[in-house]
Amino acid sequence: MPTFDLAATPLRALNEALHAVGPGSNDTRFEVLNPRGAHAVAVGADAPVTIAVHGSVGYYCAGMNAEASVTVHGSAGPGVAENMMSGTVVVEGDASQYAGATGRGGLLVVKGNAASRCGISMKGIDIVVHGSVGHMSAFMAQSGNLVVLGDAGEALGDSLYEARLFVRGTVKSLGADCVEKEMRPEHVAILEDLLARAGARGVSPAEFRRYGSARRLYSFDIDNVDAY
Amino acid sequence: MCGIVGLFLKDEALRPDLGRLLSEMLVTMTDRGPDSAGIAIYGAETPGRTKITVQSPAPARDFPGLAEALAAATGSAVEIARRDTHGVLTVAEDAAAAVRAALTTVAPEVRVMGVGAAVEIFKEVGKPADVVRRFGVAAMAGTHGIGHTRMATESAVTTLGAHPFSTGPDQCLVHNGSLSNHNNVRRVLRHRGARFETENDSEVAAAYLTDAMAGGRDLGAALAGALADLDGFFTFVVGTRSGFGVLRDPIACKPAVMAETDAYVAFGSEYRALAGLPGIETARVWEPEPATVYFWDHARAA
């Protein structure tokens, strides 16, 4: 079980060790101590390893993650799990701006709140936020699911493409082309699975409303020219 | 980029550590802005006395004999405490305006960085570690303070272009971002009597708040007005004689994180800046909301 104390070891040593994990490796559990808000912790992991980060991290933690399970026992700065491909990233505390931005797959769980632009341009990632999300979350989201157990800030889903947004609390306002949609059985099933995988117990899919794209903006139509 | 730090002490026992804690926070933010750095410290007040922090491009020429020359010109006693390129003049409150006026003739190249009962401002071009070392910031005590490390965008890399900006007694501001309507606001404020030392957009923000507070509003109300009147991207951290405020624009893409314990309120552009503060492990840490005024005041708490 390799342990990297970032108070004593350069961050680069951690990330190089993660990138060097090959098939059949026995080093599948990594512990990271004293991150103290460092940037780019556990970025680019590309193997089914488990990484526990004990403390709060700065920008871009677990960016580009593939296959790894990363848990931050603290809060995360801007861009956590940015462009994640697969695997799981769990933030025990809060996440700053653009959590899960452009993510293509995998599951990001924020146990606290996420700030503005959570899931901006998400492209297949699933994001579950136990608390609330800030303004312009899921801006230009293209696919995947954003689940918010708390409230959503202004302009949720602005210029949304095909992602599904589920919000349990209030929505301050919807962005351009984002509308409330009915919860059909397939959505309940998706939500049930995501809530279970994100460890959200005692929460029923029936408590959520679904939002999605009205599809009026993203393919050009001369009748919509005033909206551009 | 730019890096901002701020620390407002609630626990008096921490006051001797203010300069050291702020210095450490600022140095941690070096890679957000290597052009210049500055710090404002609200230190001990002497009843009836005002502090005027001045800076000279040639301190060896300008500072020896300066206090005596100002005293001779104004008929009031003037003391000077030198710190590298800066000096803190201490004068009788009712003589402050006369001393400031006399400076323009006695030592025309000496610039005023800030004036007030409590505030002292130290700023220079250079890396934060060098700047805080030159001024001996780590040994300074006080009630609250703010600091800034600058990546210049809107105007020149000069001492006067460094933050904090102080445009009113015991008021100062540090800014991360850029204002898009600063020329218009500067013009309006000039008509109302404001004077500007630089072309810097952040000085306009400082002068806007000074103008609002001169009209009777408290810092919280002045910051609320800034949301309506200033365009652009900004995170402001501001200090007054007894207060400390934070404001982010409605888009809020400039980073900000805050921490509060029973002992202090702290601000950093990044969590890294807060990581060394005492008790940070159990502090309430949060990201300030966009378009929301955060405001603490020693006078109000008392």
Side-chain angles (χ1 to χ4, degrees):
Chain A
M1 188 175 79
T3 297
F4 289 82
D5 182 350
L6 296 184
T9 309
L11 173 67
R12 183 163 297 205
L14 164 68
N15 286 338
E16 281 178 352
L18 289 173
H19 301 168
V21 174
S25 169
N26 290 324
D27 288 338
T28 58
R29 286 190 59 84
F30 289 74
E31 301 283 327
V32 182
L33 308 178
N34 292 312
R36 294 171 64 88
H39 300 167
V41 172
V43 157
D46 189 17
V49 295
T50 302
I51 304 164
V53 183
H54 300 279
S56 293
V57 294
Y59 284 65
Y60 307 120
C61 177
M64 300 179 283
N65 186 62
E67 300 190 59
S69 293
V70 182
T71 301
V72 177
H73 298 280
S75 290
V80 63
E82 185 176 68
N83 209 58
M84 176 155 74
M85 303 304 284
S86 62
T88 306
V89 173
V90 178
V91 179
E92 297 281 354
D94 295 335
S96 184
Q97 313 178 71
Y98 46 97
T102 76
R104 290 177 175 268
L107 174 66
L108 166 63
V109 179
V110 178
K111 296 279 181 76
N113 300 310
S116 61
R117 292 171 276 270
C118 179
I120 183 172
S121 196
M122 53 193 279
K123 297 180 173 79
I125 190 174
D126 292 320
I127 303 174
V128 180
V129 179
H130 286 230
S132 298
V133 297
H135 63 285
M136 296 198 83
S137 288
F139 176 46
M140 293 204 293
Q142 288 154 54
S143 71
N145 300 288
L146 171 64
V147 180
V148 182
L149 276 66
D151 303 327
E154 287 174 355
L156 175 72
D158 193 70
S159 305
L160 188 68
Y161 290 80
E162 288 303 297
R164 300 178 201 92
L165 317 181
F166 300 97
V167 183
R168 184 167 168 234
T170 61
V171 174
K172 203 160 185 188
S173 66
L174 293 173
D177 211 33
C178 183
V179 292
E180 186 174 350
K181 295 187 165 182
E182 63 167 329
M183 280 279 256
R184 296 196 298 268
E186 70 261 35
H187 304 122
V188 172
I190 288 168
L191 193 47
E192 216 155 36
D193 170 61
L194 283 170
L195 289 169
R197 285 163 56 207
R201 288 179 189 83
V203 180
S204 161
E207 298 168 37
F208 289 77
R209 291 163 174 248
R210 180 171 76 98
Y211 303 88
S213 174
R215 304 190 178 99
R216 285 187 301 255
L217 276 183
Y218 70 77
S219 52
F220 182 75
D221 181 332
I222 191 65
D223 292 335
N224 289 337
V225 72
D226 287 343
Y228 291 97
Chain B
M1 296 274 271
C2 293
I4 304 178
V5 299
L7 188 58
F8 177 84
L9 300 178
K10 297 193 270 186
D11 181 358
E12 291 187 15
L14 275 177
R15 288 182 182 178
D17 299 323
L18 179 70
R20 178 180 63 79
L21 293 169
L22 261 181
S23 297
E24 288 166 6
M25 294 166 78
L26 191 64
V27 171
T28 308
M29 291 292 92
T30 299
D31 52 9
R32 296 193 63 87
D35 292 336
S36 62
I39 206 151
I41 294 259
Y42 291 81
E45 299 186 18
T46 311
R49 307 289 279 174
T50 293
K51 295 189 265 192
I52 305 174
T53 310
V54 295
Q55 181 266 355
S56 165
R61 177 198 65 200
D62 289 335
F63 286 158
L66 178 64
E68 294 76 7
L70 289 169
T74 60
S76 294
V78 178
E79 292 159 46
I80 183 166
R82 268 192 68 179
R83 286 183 188 270
D84 196 69
T85 55
H86 287 44
V88 179
L89 304 171
T90 306
V91 302
E93 206 174 279
D94 55 9
V99 170
R100 199 170 172 177
L103 263 175
T104 56
T105 49
V106 168
E109 293 198 34
V110 167
R111 313 298 280 269
V112 174
M113 301 281 106
V115 179
V119 77
E120 298 175 26
I121 293 178
F122 303 95
K123 57 187 189 182
E124 271 301 349
V125 172
K127 290 216 167 91
D130 296 330
V131 172
V132 296
R133 182 184 43 76
R134 285 167 63 184
F135 293 121
V137 174
M140 294 180 188
T143 52
H144 55 300
I146 62 177
H148 187 269
T149 178
R150 179 170 187 234
M151 184 173 284
T153 52
E154 284 284 295
S155 61
V157 180
T158 59
T159 301
L160 283 180
H163 301 217
F165 281 95
S166 181
T167 51
D170 280 314
Q171 297 168 12
C172 63
L173 169 143
V174 290
H175 169 207
N176 178 18
S178 56
L179 301 179
S180 47
N181 66 337
H182 63 99
N183 282 324
N184 247 341
V185 176
R186 187 186 288 108
R187 196 154 43 231
V188 170
L189 291 172
R190 270 204 182 111
H191 278 296
R192 294 167 57 84
R195 286 192 311 190
F196 291 88
E197 301 265 354
T198 71
E199 292 301 307
N200 194 294
D201 59 336
S202 309
E203 189 184 12
V204 174
Y208 174 88
L209 296 177
T210 295
D211 181 74
M213 286 188 276
R217 288 193 266 178
D218 69 7
L219 175 59
L223 288 170
L227 279 174
D229 294 328
L230 300 180
D231 275 344
F233 297 119
F234 54 84
T235 296
F236 296 142
V237 177
V238 298
T240 63
R241 189 166 174 180
S242 60
F244 177 77
V246 172
L247 181 68
R248 302 171 85 193
D249 69 81
I251 302 289
C253 49
K254 295 297 175 185
V257 57
M258 301 198 66
E260 184 166 14
T261 70
D262 289 342
Y264 59 81
V265 178
F267 177 97
S269 292
E270 298 176 25
Y271 177 78
R272 282 188 300 160
L274 311 179
L277 289 172
I280 191 69
E281 302 77 16
T282 52
R284 182 170 82 92
V285 176
W286 78 102
E287 188 160 310
E289 294 282 326
T292 303
V293 173
Y294 295 84
F295 171 47
W296 290 262
D297 198 320
H298 283 304
R300 193 174 281 185

